Structure formats: structure tokens, C-alpha cells
Amino acid sequence: MTAIEDPIPLLEDLLGSYRAELGADFPGYRNHVYRMAHFCLALRRCDDTERRKILTAAAFHDLGIWVNRTVDYLPPSVALAEAYLQRTGRQDWIPEIRSMIDMHHKIRRYADPRYPLVEVFRRGDLVDFSLGLVSGGLPRAFIRDVKARFPNAGFHARLVQLARGWFARHPLRPPPFVKW
């Protein structure tokens, strides 16, 4: 099982760049990113490149909610990640990172052998999104330890608050971030 790390310099750098946009939600988002990144890294033994891809996608995956103030946040979150990858000379990562972010709320398993991290990322986010009710095959003790180290800090309640308008206007339609 992977060790619990805090801080992770790459996450601190990336998230710190969006502290103003996140405002009071910064601690909750930071902790969500740390939890789901730890869950992803526990689901798959990663080399340094894969680890960096997971951390990069984790930092950006929900940012569009705050930066663009929208529940339809996947396209803006992808755009933020792509701009970062362009700036840092990692254009070759764009297709995989785009898929990791765009498919992280996919209901069914993601199966593209070119991009195995997409399914790992989807499962890692699901562990956190479900508050650990879905374990993704991870030991419950590890999930509890990660959640204790990175408390929710109102993250899930804030998501409900931000999405409430969508559900009021579209009660019979799934939100735009859900993929089948």
C-alpha cells in the first residue's frame, strides 16, 4: 500500500496557483485532490511519469467548477490542464490527461488499453466521491487513514450546494459531468 504523503510539492504548486479562485473552498478542494490522488496511487503501482500524470489530472479535474463557475465543468477543467501541459512542454500527455478528467465520472468502466490511467483515475475519484462507501478494492483501513489525514472540510456539502441549481432546473436529466 502506498504511504500517505503530505505535502506533495507538485500538488502544492498547482493548487496554490488557484487559491484565489477557490477562496474559502481551497481546504476542501485540496483535501479532495489529495484523497483521490492517494486512492489512485494505491490502486496502481506507478512509475514516475504515471505518478506525475495522476497528480496533474487530480489537481485540475474539478477546477472548472470554481474557475468558470459552472456545473458543466469538465470542458473548462480540461482546458486548464491542457494550457498547463502546453506551458510545461508535455503536449504528448494531453490526450491521456484529457480523458482522465473528461471520464472521471463515467458510470461504466473505461476500457482503452492505450490509457490505463483513465480507469484508475475514475475509480480513485469514485472512492472519494462515494465517501469511501465504494472502496474500489482498496482496504477500508487505508481509506479511513487517508480520510483522517485529509478531512472533508465541507467539500461534498459544497458540491451539493453548487449543483443544486442544476437539479432544480433539470430534475430528470443527469448533470453534464456524468458519462455513461
Side-chain angles (χ1 to χ4, degrees), residues 4-147:
I4 297 174
E5 295 177 63
D6 185 20
I8 298 174
L10 177 58
L11 289 182
E12 293 302 312
D13 290 346
L14 294 174
L15 295 174
S17 300
Y18 294 94
R19 186 180 286 272
E21 288 90 340
L22 289 160
D25 295 328
F26 181 81
Y29 186 69
R30 177 192 183 273
N31 288 354
H32 165 62
V33 167
Y34 268 80
R35 286 189 307 268
M36 68 93 55
H38 277 86
F39 297 148
C40 290
L41 295 170
L43 287 166
R44 177 183 172 95
R45 180 180 298 263
C46 293
D47 63 27
D48 289 340
T49 300
E50 290 175 327
R51 175 185 162 81
R52 190 168 180 89
K53 287 178 180 180
I54 285 171
L55 295 175
T56 300
F60 289 103
H61 79 287
D62 290 339
L63 269 177
I65 296 170
W66 287 272
V67 174
N68 292 73
R69 304 205 181 288
T70 180
V71 174
D72 190 9
Y73 65 89
L74 295 176
S77 296
V78 166
L80 292 167
E82 288 179 356
Y84 166 77
L85 293 169
Q86 290 282 349
R87 281 192 314 274
T88 58
R90 292 185 180 89
Q91 298 88 337
D92 56 321
W93 290 9
I94 288 175
E96 188 170 20
I97 300 287
R98 178 188 304 127
S99 294
M100 290 168 76
I101 294 170
D102 191 46
M103 295 294 155
H104 81 270
H105 285 300
K106 187 175 184 333
I107 302 297
R108 295 187 185 109
R109 182 174 183 80
Y110 184 85
D112 183 339
R114 296 173 303 160
Y115 304 126
L117 294 181
V118 176
E119 177 61 12
V120 170
F121 198 75
R122 184 191 74 82
R123 288 176 54 210
D125 188 70
L126 181 58
V127 173
D128 194 59
F129 184 77
S130 72
L131 300 169
L133 295 174
V134 175
S135 72
L138 296 175
R140 299 274 180 203
F142 178 73
I143 294 170
R144 276 192 307 275
D145 291 347
V146 170
K147 288 171 58 176

